[in-house]
Amino acid sequence: MSVPRAVAEPVHRAVRSGPARIAALALLVAVVGCADLVAGRAVSVADVRDVLLGGGDPMARHIVLQLRMPRLLVALVAGASLGLAGLVIQSALRNPLAGPEVTGVTPGAVLGAVTATGLGLAGWESPAAVVVAACLGGFAGAGLLWLLTGREKGDPEQTAVYGVLVSAVLAGCTAMVLLVAPGELGSVVQWLIGSTEGRVWQHWHPLWPWALVWAGVAWLLAGPLTLLRCGDEQAAAVGLDTGRGRAAALVCAVALTAGAVSAVGALGFVGLLVPHLALALFGADLRVALPGAGLLGAVVVCGADAAAQALSRVLAQALDTDRLTVPVGALTTCAGAGLLLIVARRRTDER
């Protein structure tokens, strides 16, 4: 199978520069991970250091090892999953303004989690059940988009329009569920906004194998996805079954998104904007860009979590309260909205 010339040169450049940039990103992941560990309240930087070196008092060890460490790991893996899912979706649909948030995948996953919680079938205390419910909702949202687009699945504009429509409908359904079961609002608001607060080892254990399996699937799809980015005609010309390739990619993206949503809720704009950074850094070769998107997603979510904890500490001191907590989803949504405007305006200028 030959690669079109439109992709060949960027691929060669990415292969040459990719490993060094991947290594730099891995180092950045370590840096933001350390920042996330020391950003919270209750224990100092010195206490965290002592615990990591094997010492520390029992309370500090409990906070660092049982609360902060699983929260850090969940943030890293959820961010990586969303970054991967976003790049897979954008490549499969050939739409740089597509993402889990605006193609029905994330709203569907949230609807599934909220509905299961309202019915008493799942909750934050049963993460495995939430994964199942989020997957069912995510597949329902993606399936609805698939049915609406019909023969226009390869048309980026049509897909974007229908994606926004499906996302709006699913968000409305979620609001209706909350109206029917208002008593459950407190337990599901974290899924609507996105939060790493209260993540413990119970949430980490089902998340990492799920994300690892589907990240492997995403990497195996790197070749077909690279061809799909060139267009259906070019991909079909070199022997790719575009329908099957796109379907496999969407299944992978839904699974990655559902796993992240089940753990941290709907973190806005991560899956939409991380792919743009990954492609800018690593080029068109998705064998390199996909791992890069995963690392970038981890950096973005973990960094936002550290910033949210630091901001919570500052606001709590300023307002003299211990209850104030800034959800990480609020920061990713605000930052992502601004970046989305820049991306959309740049695309308008290019036209």
Side-chain angles (χ1 to χ4, degrees):
M1 182 183 294
S2 62
V3 179
R5 293 184 61 185
V7 179
E9 292 184 5
V11 164
H12 295 318
R13 289 196 299 268
V15 169
R16 290 195 299 267
S17 63
R21 294 180 179 180
I22 289 290
L25 270 180
L27 179 61
L28 185 56
V29 168
V31 170
V32 297
C34 292
D36 200 27
L37 273 180
V38 303
R41 289 171 279 187
V43 293
S44 65
V45 175
D47 292 330
V48 174
R49 181 197 61 208
D50 292 341
V51 170
L52 294 180
L53 292 176
D57 61 76
M59 178 175 291
R61 291 184 62 82
H62 174 77
I63 292 174
V64 174
L65 298 180
Q66 302 302 320
L67 298 178
R68 291 194 183 180
M69 187 63 72
R71 174 175 180 160
L72 162 65
L73 294 175
V74 167
L76 288 173
V77 174
S81 298
L82 291 173
L84 283 170
L87 184 52
V88 169
I89 288 179
Q90 290 185 8
S91 300
L93 300 181
R94 293 193 301 115
N95 188 349
L97 294 181
E101 303 89 345
V102 293
T103 53
V105 178
T106 295
V110 171
L111 176 60
V114 169
T115 302
T117 301
L119 295 175
L121 302 176
W124 287 110
E125 300 78 12
S126 53
V130 178
V131 171
V132 175
C135 272
L136 292 175
F139 281 118
L144 181 57
L145 175 62
W146 190 260
L147 290 175
L148 287 176
T149 52
R151 296 182 179 180
E152 304 298 329
K153 294 180 178 66
D155 185 344
E157 287 74 18
Q158 283 290 96
T159 301
V161 171
Y162 282 120
V164 172
L165 174 63
V166 169
S167 298
V169 170
L170 294 173
C173 291
T174 300
M176 292 177 62
V177 172
L178 295 178
L179 288 175
V180 172
E184 299 294 335
L185 177 60
S187 62
V188 302
V189 69
Q190 295 182 82
W191 274 308
L192 301 177
I193 301 175
S195 175
T196 56
E197 188 75 18
R199 302 305 88 203
V200 293
W201 292 115
Q202 187 179 5
H203 302 92
W204 163 251
H205 293 316
L207 176 62
W208 76 263
W210 179 271
L212 182 62
V213 168
W214 288 105
V217 172
W219 191 83
L220 292 175
L221 290 170
L225 286 171
T226 301
L227 293 173
L228 285 174
R229 290 182 62 85
C230 300
D232 286 7
E233 292 183 0
Q234 292 88 338
V238 294
L240 178 66
D241 187 330
T242 58
R244 290 183 180 180
R246 184 170 287 113
L250 292 178
V251 168
C252 177
V254 169
L256 285 167
T257 302
V261 168
S262 69
V264 298
L267 295 180
F269 293 105
V270 176
L272 183 61
L273 293 168
V274 164
H276 291 276
L277 299 177
L279 292 173
L281 284 174
F282 299 102
D285 185 6
L286 296 188
R287 294 173 300 175
V288 181
L290 281 168
L295 289 173
L296 281 168
V299 167
V300 168
V301 173
C302 190
D305 187 42
Q309 291 189 69
L311 182 59
S312 297
R313 175 186 288 184
V314 171
L315 292 177
Q317 292 176 348
L319 300 176
D320 194 21
T321 178
D322 293 330
R323 291 175 169 262
L324 182 62
T325 300
V326 177
V328 62
L331 292 188
T332 61
T333 299
C334 291
L339 291 174
L340 179 61
L341 289 176
I342 295 175
V343 172
R345 180 168 294 181
R346 180 175 298 174
R347 281 181 56 80
T348 301
D349 292 340
E350 290 176 354
R351 291 180 181 178

